[in-house]
Amino acid sequence: MSATFWIIIGGAIVTYLTRIGGHVILTRFKEIHPRARAGLDAVPAAVLTTLVAPAVAQGGPNEWAAFAIAVIAGLRVSVIWMVVIGTVAIAVLRHVSG
Amino acid sequence: MTPRLLFLQGMKLGVPVVITAGPFGALFGALAVDGGMSVFDAVLMSATIFAGASQLVGLNLFGQHIPAWIVVLSIFAVNFRHILYSASMGQHLSQWSILKQAFGFFFLVDPAYAETERRVEQGEEIQFSWYMGLVFVVYVGWVAMTFLGAIFGNFLENSHAWGIDFILPIYFMAMLMGFRKRPFWYPVVAVSAVASVIASYTVGSPWHVSIGAAAGILVAAIFAPAARGNGAGDVSEPLKLEGDV
């Protein structure tokens, strides 16, 4: 098998370890401290934010405008429509601004 | 509800995920083959790693005579956030057998985690059938789109003009907004946003994810009402989401 194959397998193993690891570590504790629980409850907000904020910050006016439109739309519409509106907005803005 | 119906219910939630993440699967497949990888290796990578960002990072390093262990370590770094998902989600899977847990966690991608947390907020149980329905669609969609991208190659040549590169940030923002009723949501988002942006300019990718997440989680652990009280502001109480999905 090629080197690429083994790198892929290695990548798959470490990825699986990250996906099971948090649970395995946490089950070793009988009780979860309130602070730890508050931290865990913050996980979706904290992690999802890091997938959004830098991508938006590194964009330009087109990206910022499209993002703002998507967020305002997102207050009213469902996830999929927010994505559609945001994507159409960025495509139109990029076409218009060249 | 029967397992069959739960599976279908989960599948339905997987469809928007495939629509938004699918283009990245195709993009990955196209870039992989473009970079000299075989179609088989590209599909194998999607099928075994099943984590888009880390696959693209790995792909970038393949071409550069970088030692294998560094490529593997980079994939680990990009995927490190899953440890947090796993710790957070595992609390709701205590009724699953060890085998089901071991199998289920393989498929723990960002949208699967987000949908699971939403379901918990709605006060629903996380049934194995429901979860498998969700991740089945996402997994098959991801692998299939990788294959199509690898075969048809350059159909995404103009992906920038069509805004493909901006779909995922918007999608993650949509998921993020779904949690905005959670106690202490705004401080966590603000702190994580600032920390991840600063880290992305200083430390660089992919560590900005772990650093930004750690900052937000720490703030919640120290200052959130739930962290101080003995039961005051009980966070385990399910919250009602506004009726989207």
Side-chain angles (χ1 to χ4, degrees):
Chain A
M1 283 294 170
S2 67
T4 302
F5 176 85
W6 291 112
I7 292 174
I8 291 171
I9 298 304
I13 291 169
V14 296
T15 300
Y16 182 67
L17 289 178
T18 65
R19 285 182 173 147
I20 191 113
H23 178 58
V24 169
I25 293 165
L26 208 66
T27 48
R28 302 185 75 92
F29 296 96
K30 275 266 187 296
E31 273 176 34
I32 301 170
H33 192 276
R35 286 192 191 284
R37 183 170 293 280
L40 287 174
D41 275 333
V43 167
V47 182
L48 290 171
T49 299
T50 68
L51 304 178
V52 176
V56 175
Q58 282 158 19
N62 288 341
E63 286 75 17
W64 299 333
F67 183 73
I69 291 167
V71 168
I72 292 164
L75 295 171
R76 297 249 145 229
V77 299
S78 66
V79 168
I80 190 69
W81 283 109
M82 177 170 164
V83 171
V84 170
I85 290 167
T87 308
V88 170
I90 189 73
V92 169
L93 283 165
R94 279 175 180 172
H95 277 280
V96 170
S97 68
Chain B
M1 212 182 275
T2 64
R4 192 193 159 85
L5 275 172
L6 283 166
F7 191 85
L8 287 172
Q9 198 187 24
M11 282 181 78
K12 220 179 113 196
L13 291 173
V15 173
V17 178
V18 172
I19 294 170
T20 48
F24 289 89
L27 189 67
F28 167 76
L31 289 174
V33 171
D34 196 49
M37 206 185 256
S38 68
V39 174
F40 174 81
D41 279 346
V43 172
L44 178 77
M45 199 167 179
S46 275
T48 58
I49 297 182
F50 187 40
S54 72
Q55 291 176 223
L56 284 166
V57 168
L59 201 58
N60 264 328
L61 300 177
F62 271 135
Q64 302 179 21
H65 299 288
I66 288 171
W69 70 269
I70 292 190
V71 181
V72 173
L73 186 70
S74 303
I75 292 171
F76 179 75
V78 178
N79 288 329
F80 191 78
R81 68 186 185 283
H82 294 116
I83 289 184
L84 297 169
Y85 294 163
S86 158
S88 163
M89 192 174 108
Q91 303 177 84
H92 311 297
L93 308 183
S94 46
Q95 78 281 16
W96 293 17
S97 69
I98 298 282
L99 212 65
K100 281 179 177 171
Q101 289 179 356
F103 186 64
F105 275 120
F106 173 81
F107 301 97
L108 185 55
V109 287
D110 304 86
Y113 171 67
E115 288 295 352
T116 303
E117 285 283 328
R118 275 157 84 93
R119 191 169 172 83
V120 170
E121 277 199 359
Q122 286 158 356
E124 300 270 347
E125 195 187 326
I126 304 303
Q127 301 91 346
F128 185 69
S129 320
W130 172 85
Y131 179 81
M132 286 319 295
L134 167 65
V135 297
F136 171 77
V137 171
V138 178
Y139 184 78
V140 170
W142 181 250
V143 175
M145 289 303 280
T146 302
F147 179 70
L148 291 176
I151 298 277
F152 294 110
N154 48 16
F155 71 104
L156 282 169
E157 218 164 56
N158 223 350
S159 63
H160 181 80
W162 295 110
I164 305 254
D165 57 305
F166 211 56
I167 293 180
L168 269 194
I170 294 173
Y171 173 70
F172 286 132
M173 186 63 197
M175 292 313 259
L176 178 59
M177 286 174 72
F179 294 106
R180 69 184 183 276
K181 294 281 150 67
R182 238 174 223 218
F184 220 63
W185 186 87
Y186 289 93
V188 170
V189 168
V191 169
S192 287
V194 171
S196 66
V197 169
I198 292 172
S200 75
Y201 284 112
T202 52
V203 186
S205 184
W207 296 106
H208 68 279
V209 172
S210 298
I211 292 168
I217 290 165
L218 260 178
V219 164
I222 296 168
F223 297 111
R228 297 194 210 114
N230 304 311
D234 186 3
V235 285
S236 60
E237 189 182 314
L239 288 156
K240 201 82 197 114
L241 274 180
E242 277 188 347
D244 51 17
V245 178

